[in-house]
């Protein structure tokens, strides 16, 4: 039986309503995805075990003092099966480029963008699903989308000035009351079954995230009313509808956005945090909430806000009919004043971010005459050359954040402080897929060794002495 969950907002304000379906939440997965995963896990686990046994003492990497102080950049110290980021190629989901994903993953009827449900199947299994398999996942997620009343009440009573990401983190933590893994662990479940309960929590959480995210949006910016879940709609379509958008092109944008932001290998802040917290056997809710606190940072998920603020200010100063010469002059003056060009450069990539290009192609198809898109396109032609001339940027090319805000603004989602929540909903697909595999592999508590500067100096001095002695030793 469907049950209605009231979204009770601040006194005198609320109007609310999340209709949802919780009866199936405790039931086994109805799609074939979990069954397929159960077939793959023993095979992959044996492969990893055999590999570790054969190469347990093989050196993978050496690193420098500068890397130790420099955010551990490029140090190879994690295994993440779902995706791999190549500096020259960009991200690949299980070996597939984003262009491959756009071509191969199933699409909604009449749509041209991949369904994120298909990306989740791919990230979990390494296999491209059929349209029927993706449809089953969509239906299952819709059935699991109900959010408990204590969570909706909490969201409704948050003050509107509390940042949307703070609300998301708090709401996800409050959802932990529903954790199947936590209950199973307390009951003494076998370690070999950890992955199964982590999978159930992950699917429950992914299914509920659009409901939570929509409630946050409607509560902060609109009238508090959230449309009901429609069992016949896919994940992105329900999310768009609950946000209050009915334009089919916006729904297509959401399908694209939620797919291309889903994963970016395991070393970024949000992905690594989910893995780290999960290594303590914290459940999917607590692990994901930890990752979202990292995504909320200005150097991670908030970057698209900074890009849009910069673009808006730029447009005010130069207008809509700016010449390339004038824009080039503006960029140079900005750099000479000590500022950066937001949205350009990346910690790993050394080429244009494929996620940027996916969004650019979408804009060229659907909004070629949008003034902000024209400005972004002109910057794409100018900024890389300017940055190369300046000689400071290792990567002068645009990243994903240089484009996403412009698309959202075009369709009327203008509240830029909310954009990172969309990023978070998408990123759940990748980080929770990885979390399931962490438990399937039985990965241990993560505990790297840290050092003080004094200890590091002593180590370096000792190594220098050893090296000097080795160089001076007579040959036999």
């Amino acid at each position: 039986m469907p049950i209605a969950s009231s979204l009770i907002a601040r006194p005198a304000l609320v109007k609310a309503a999340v209709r949802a379906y919780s009866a199936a939440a405790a039931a086994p997965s109805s799609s074939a995805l979990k069954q397929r995963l159960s077939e793959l896990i023993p095979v992959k686990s044996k492969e990893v075990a055999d590999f570790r046994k054969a190469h347990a003492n093989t050196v993978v990497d050496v690193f420098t003092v500068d890397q130790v102080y420099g955010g551990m950049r490029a140090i190879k110290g994690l295994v993440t099966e779902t995706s791999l980021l190549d500096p020259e190629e960009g991200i690949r989901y299980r070996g597939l480029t984003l262009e491959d994903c756009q071509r191969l993953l199933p699409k909604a009827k009449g749509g041209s963008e991949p369904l994120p449900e298909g990306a989740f199947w791919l990230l979990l299994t390494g296999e491209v699903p059929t349209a029927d398999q993706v449809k089953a996942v969509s239906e299952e997620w819709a059935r699991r989308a109900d959010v408990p009343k204590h969570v909706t009440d909490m969201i409704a009573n948050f003050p509107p000035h509390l940042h949307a990401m703070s609300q998301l983190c708090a709401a996800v933590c409050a959802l932990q009351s529903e954790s199947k893994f936590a209950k199973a662990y307390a009951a003494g479940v076998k370690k070999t079954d950890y992955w199964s309960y982590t999978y159930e929590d992950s699917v429950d959480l992914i299914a509920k995230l659009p409901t939570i995210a929509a409630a946050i949006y409607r509560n902060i910016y609109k009238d508090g009313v959230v449309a009901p879940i429609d069992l016949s709609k896919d994940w992105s379509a329900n999310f768009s509808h609950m946000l209050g958008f009915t334009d089919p092109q916006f729904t297509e944008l959401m399908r694209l956005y939620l797919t291309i932001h889903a994963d970016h290998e395991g070393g970024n802040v949000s992905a690594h945090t989910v893995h780290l917290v999960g290594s303590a056997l914290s459940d999917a809710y607590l692990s994901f909430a930890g990752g979202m606190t990292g995504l909320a940072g200005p150097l991670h998920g908030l970057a698209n806000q900074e890009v849009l603020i910069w673009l808006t200010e730029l447009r005010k100063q130069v207008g809509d009919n700016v010449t390339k010469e004038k824009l080039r002059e503006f960029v140079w003056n900005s750099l000479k004043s000590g500022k950066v060009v937001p949205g350009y450069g990346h910690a790993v990539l050394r080429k244009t971010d494929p996620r940027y290009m996916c969004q650019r192609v979408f804009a060229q198809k659907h909004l070629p005459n949008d003034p902000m898109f024209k400005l972004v396109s002109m910057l794409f032609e100018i900024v890389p050359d300017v940055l190369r001339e300046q000689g400071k940027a290792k990567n002068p090319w645009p990243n994903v954040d240089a484009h996403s805000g412009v698309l959202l603004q075009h369709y009327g989602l203008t509240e830029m402080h909310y954009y990172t929540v969309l990023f978070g909903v998408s990123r759940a697909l990748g980080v929770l897929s990885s979390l399931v595999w962490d438990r399937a592999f039985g990965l241990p508590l993560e505990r790297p060794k840290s050092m003080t500067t004094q200890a590091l100096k002593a180590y370096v001095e000792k190594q220098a002495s050893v090296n000097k002695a080795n160089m001076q030793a007579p040959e036999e």
Side-chain angles (χ1 to χ4, degrees), residues 1-14:
M1 285 286 292
I3 59 171
S5 292
S6 294
L7 186 60
I8 309 221
R10 296 178 295 283
L13 195 106
V14 171

Side-chain angles (χ1 to χ4, degrees), residues 148-257:
K149 186 175 183 298
H150 72 271
V151 179
T152 58
D153 286 353
M154 182 177 71
I155 294 171
N157 285 284
F158 280 139
H161 64 267
L162 181 63
H163 196 284
M165 281 301 289
S166 298
Q167 296 194 27
L168 177 66
C169 294
V172 172
C173 280
L175 261 183
Q176 196 266 346
S177 61
E178 311 306 297
S179 173
K180 296 180 176 71
F181 177 88
K183 293 179 178 66
Y185 184 83
V189 65
K190 295 185 298 183
K191 288 183 178 181
T192 52
D193 290 334
Y194 284 177
W195 76 267
S196 177
Y197 292 95
T198 299
Y199 174 89
E200 293 299 330
D201 278 358
S202 296
V203 171
D204 280 341
L205 177 53
I206 289 169
K208 297 175 194 308
L209 277 173
T211 311
I212 289 172
I216 291 169
Y217 178 77
R218 300 295 301 181
N219 193 53
I220 295 176
Y221 303 111
K222 304 298 179 181
D223 58 3
V225 175
V226 181
I229 290 287
D230 186 337
L231 288 174
S232 68
K233 290 182 176 178
D234 61 82
W235 193 58
S236 305
N238 264 316
F239 189 18
S240 299
H241 185 58
M242 287 190 290
L243 287 170
F245 293 87
T246 57
D247 187 339
Q249 283 189 16
F250 179 82
T251 301
E252 277 286 273
L253 173 61
M254 280 294 96
R255 290 172 182 138
L256 174 65
Y257 183 101

Side-chain angles (χ1 to χ4, degrees), residues 37 40-41 44-45 81-82 94 123-125 195 432-443:
L37 196 56
L40 292 171
I41 283 173
K44 188 68 176 177
S45 296
E81 302 290 353
T82 52
R94 293 287 189 162
L123 290 167
L124 264 177
T125 68
W195 76 267
L432 294 176
S433 295
S434 291
L435 190 66
V436 173
W437 278 103
D438 288 348
R439 298 290 74 78
F441 288 148
L443 297 186

Side-chain angles (χ1 to χ4, degrees), residues 195-443:
W195 76 267
S196 177
Y197 292 95
T198 299
Y199 174 89
E200 293 299 330
D201 278 358
S202 296
V203 171
D204 280 341
L205 177 53
I206 289 169
K208 297 175 194 308
L209 277 173
T211 311
I212 289 172
I216 291 169
Y217 178 77
R218 300 295 301 181
N219 193 53
I220 295 176
Y221 303 111
K222 304 298 179 181
D223 58 3
V225 175
V226 181
I229 290 287
D230 186 337
L231 288 174
S232 68
K233 290 182 176 178
D234 61 82
W235 193 58
S236 305
N238 264 316
F239 189 18
S240 299
H241 185 58
M242 287 190 290
L243 287 170
F245 293 87
T246 57
D247 187 339
Q249 283 189 16
F250 179 82
T251 301
E252 277 286 273
L253 173 61
M254 280 294 96
R255 290 172 182 138
L256 174 65
Y257 183 101
L258 295 172
T259 296
I260 67 175
H261 286 79
D263 210 31
H264 221 228
E265 74 171 31
N268 65 76
V269 171
S270 54
H272 187 194
T273 303
V274 173
H275 166 78
L276 174 63
V277 176
S279 78
L281 294 187
S282 297
D283 57 63
Y285 298 94
L286 297 178
S287 300
F288 182 71
M292 291 303 94
T293 63
L295 189 69
L299 296 184
H300 194 6
L302 287 191
N304 56 10
Q305 287 183 206
E306 295 183 345
V307 171
L308 198 55
I309 291 169
W310 186 82
L311 286 173
T312 302
E313 183 59 33
L314 170 60
R315 187 182 176 197
K316 285 181 182 177
Q317 293 191 35
V318 304
D320 289 336
N321 298 309
V322 63
T323 63
K324 290 184 180 180
E325 292 72 23
K326 187 70 175 177
L327 191 57
R328 179 182 174 86
E329 180 184 343
F330 179 92
V331 172
W332 261 119
N333 289 339
S334 182
L335 291 170
K336 288 175 181 177
S337 70
K339 299 177 182 177
V340 298
V341 180
Y344 281 75
H346 190 274
V348 178
L349 282 169
R350 296 296 176 261
K351 62 166 283 184
T352 299
D353 191 332
R355 299 172 297 177
Y356 174 95
M357 293 306 298
C358 288
Q359 294 177 107
R360 177 173 171 78
V361 170
F362 185 95
Q364 288 172 326
K365 178 180 178 181
H366 296 291
L367 47 132
N369 298 316
D370 181 272
M372 285 288 273
F373 170 60
K374 288 183 175 181
L375 182 59
V376 167
S377 292
M378 198 176 292
L379 287 167
F380 182 43
E381 297 176 22
I382 292 169
V383 172
D385 287 339
V386 172
L387 291 177
R388 278 196 295 255
E389 287 178 36
Q390 186 195 35
K392 292 183 179 180
K394 292 181 179 178
N395 173 20
W397 304 105
N399 59 52
V400 65
D401 299 309
H403 215 309
S404 55
V406 170
L407 296 176
L408 296 168
Q409 290 270 317
H410 175 82
Y411 290 104
L413 207 167
T414 58
E415 299 85 1
M416 66 180 69
H417 292 291
Y418 182 77
Y419 291 172
T420 313
V421 174
L422 299 177
F423 195 165
V425 172
S426 172
R427 186 49 58 94
L429 301 176
V431 299
L432 294 176
S433 295
S434 291
L435 190 66
V436 173
W437 278 103
D438 288 348
R439 298 290 74 78
F441 288 148
L443 297 186

Side-chain angles (χ1 to χ4, degrees), residues 455-470:
L456 192 55
K457 283 182 176 180
Y459 174 82
V460 170
E461 290 172 3
K462 181 179 179 181
Q463 288 300 114
S465 297
V466 170
N467 292 340
K468 183 177 180 180
N470 289 337

